[in-house]
Every structure is written in structure tokens, then in C-alpha cells.
Amino acid sequence: MKAVDTLEIKVVDTDDDSMKEENTVGDGVVIEQAALQFLSAICDGDARAALNGLQMTVQSQVAKFSQSESVLQSTLKSRKPDGQKATRCVKITVDNVKEGLQRSHIAYDKTGEEHYNTISALHKSMRGSDDSAALYWLARMMEGGEEPLYIARRLIEFASEDVGIADPQALMLAVSTYQACHFIGRPECEKPLAECVVYLSRAPKSIEAVSAYVKAKACIHNHEGPLPGVPLHLRNASTKLMKNLGYGKGYKYNPAHKGPVKQEYFPECLAGTNFFK
């Protein structure tokens, strides 16, 4: 509000019937209450970002009607010699603020749709092995004030889901990147983040393990009736009673055999199931 007062901008209700047109007769520059609230929310307490966004928005809108810097200054600060107020009134709306923020390179809503759109773009760029595009979206988020640890967590998710067993080292790197971001913070953490994004973009991709696990979950959820018990030979006979009941009986200890061991590990009703086909 202090910046608004300094620029001699009047705050009006969004539903004010006298301010329906963006260029009306009145006093200098007015801003809708909704636009001011949007600016405050998107800048998340960053006063400098809010002030820069407000100034860029006002300049952009005034320039549309004046085409000169001198008119901008007179519209915002000066009065006519006879004491009357400036006759040209520029109204700032939410859409105007969004445009102004884009011009000042801070248009990134960390809690709204743009937050999810941008992380989706990063994810899909890495999946498509476009390392340059992935770095671009990473920079968009970082310069927009995104929480580095959020990005690092998503990189861990990507390493598990998209790279998978094609390169197990990717998950280790992603976890290390999260730790690095936690240890050093901004702005240094952008370096390990960038390195991880490039690595994940260039890494081979495999969803084999994830797809198989989805089938395993579906097998459990789609089973009719009580789930089958663990086969006796797979149970651990930790007491004499359990041993007498047949726990562990017939189990073949794989390391004790030189070659492959033929042994069923599924319940009897699921024998021969293969989630990888």
C-alpha cells in the first residue's frame, strides 16, 4: 500500500460501476482491489518484486494511451496548473498485473496453476531427453522464486519413475542433489539442480519396474475374497511350534545351490504370475 500511495494510485472496488472502462475520465491511475491482492499473493511477501511488478504494470498501461514518457510522468504525479486533476484515468486490472509481471520476469505463481504447468514442462522435457528445454524450465522456476527442495523432490520422483532401472545411478544423484540443496541453499543450489536435470535428461529411460508394480497393486485390489496366505515354505519358523506346524518346510536356500533353484514364491492361486509381460 505504501508503494501505491507513493505512485498516487487510487484503489477501487472491482465492481465499481464508475470504473468499468480501462481508460476513463478521472484521477491519474487507479488499481482494482482484486489486482492489488493478486500482486501481493503472487509476490509472496517480496516487496521488491511487488514494487517492480506494480511499476512495470503502470508503465505498460499508461504507455498504451500516451506513447511518451512525459505523459507517463504527468499522469502519475503532476497536476494541471489550475489545480484540476488529470483528466485521463488508467485502470489497472488483474490481467494488467499479470502482463506486467511477465514483462518484469517474475510471473510465476508458486501456489497456483503456473506452478504445476511449469513443473510439468520440466518433467516432460527431461522425459523427452531435451536437456536445453529442461534447463529453461528449471531456470523459470528458480528465477520465479520456487522452493529448491520442491524441485529436488520432483527430480527424485523423475529418477524413480522415468529413468528407473535403466540407470540406477540417477536415483542416487537425485537424492544427493536434494541433500546439496538442503545444505547450501540459494543461490548456490542452482548448480547441483542444473547438473541433475541435465543428467536425468540424457539418461536412458525405463518404466519397466514402475509398470510392473502397478500390475502388482492391481492384482491385490482386484482379488476376490480374502487374500491368500503366505505359503508355508516361505514362512520363517522362529519358534518350535511354528516349525512343528510346517513353517519353512521344503524351503530351498538358494545360496546353497550351484545353479538356479526351481521354487514357487507366489501363493498357489497365483503360481506362474509374471507382472513383466
Side-chain angles (χ1 to χ4, degrees):
M1 289 301 296
K2 185 177 293 186
V4 171
D5 293 339
T6 300
L7 293 175
E8 297 184 14
I9 300 175
K10 180 182 177 182
V11 181
V12 297
D13 292 335
T14 305
D15 298 327
D16 190 341
D17 293 335
S18 66
M19 291 293 176
K20 289 297 183 182
E21 299 296 329
E22 290 194 1
N23 185 25
T24 60
V25 176
D27 185 14
V29 177
V30 299
I31 184 170
E32 291 182 350
Q33 182 67 41
L36 197 60
Q37 292 172 345
F38 175 81
L39 179 63
S40 176
I42 201 173
C43 292
D44 195 24
D46 189 334
R48 176 176 294 182
L51 179 58
N52 289 341
L54 179 60
Q55 289 179 327
M56 185 65 70
T57 301
V58 172
Q59 291 172 2
S60 174
Q61 292 307 304
V62 171
K64 286 183 178 181
F65 304 119
S66 65
Q67 301 297 315
S68 70
E69 183 66 19
S70 60
V71 175
L72 167 64
Q73 296 299 328
S74 62
T75 303
L76 292 178
K77 297 182 178 179
S78 65
R79 306 287 184 176
K80 288 185 176 181
D82 58 4
Q84 295 180 348
K85 298 179 180 180
T87 58
R88 179 179 293 272
C89 178
V90 179
K91 186 181 74 169
I92 306 298
T93 66
V94 173
D95 289 339
N96 298 150
V97 171
K98 290 180 179 179
E99 179 183 349
L101 292 176
Q102 289 173 346
R103 291 174 179 270
S104 59
H105 307 289
I106 60 172
Y108 182 75
D109 185 354
K110 290 181 286 185
T111 60
E113 180 181 355
E114 195 66 10
H115 165 83
Y116 297 104
N117 289 341
T118 311
I119 194 64
S120 176
L122 172 62
H123 196 124
K124 289 179 173 62
S125 297
M126 292 190 296
R127 179 182 292 153
S129 300
D130 192 330
D131 46 10
S132 291
L135 284 176
Y136 170 78
W137 294 116
L138 171 64
R140 278 276 293 265
M141 286 188 290
M142 289 296 290
E143 294 306 304
E146 181 59 80
E147 170 58 49
L149 292 181
Y150 168 77
I151 301 175
R153 287 194 297 270
R154 292 307 299 262
L155 295 182
I156 293 174
E157 166 65 16
F158 181 89
S160 301
E161 179 181 354
D162 284 86
V163 177
I165 58 177
D167 183 0
Q169 184 69 26
L171 180 57
M172 298 174 61
L173 176 62
V175 172
S176 296
T177 299
Y178 179 91
Q179 294 174 327
C181 292
H182 176 70
F183 290 150
I184 63 178
R186 286 179 174 274
E188 291 82 1
C189 67
E190 64 186 21
K191 299 180 182 68
L193 282 173
E195 291 168 5
C196 186
V197 163
V198 172
Y199 186 95
L200 296 178
S201 297
R202 296 178 180 179
K205 311 297 191 296
S206 172
I207 60 171
E208 184 180 15
V210 174
S211 297
Y213 183 65
V214 170
K215 293 179 181 179
K217 290 196 297 182
C219 179
I220 294 172
H221 291 295
N222 296 333
H223 183 83
E224 296 182 0
L227 291 173
V230 177
L232 287 177
H233 70 284
L234 296 180
R235 300 186 185 189
N236 184 34
S238 57
T239 68
K240 184 177 180 179
L241 175 60
M242 291 178 177
K243 187 173 183 180
N244 291 337
L245 290 174
Y247 282 34
K249 185 178 181 179
Y251 173 67
K252 300 174 183 179
Y253 183 61
N254 300 69
H257 299 265
K258 293 183 178 180
V261 176
K262 187 176 181 180
Q263 185 167 230
E264 185 59 59
Y265 299 98
F266 273 105
E268 185 177 355
C269 63
L270 293 174
T273 299
N274 188 342
F275 295 130
F276 292 91
K277 288 184 178 180

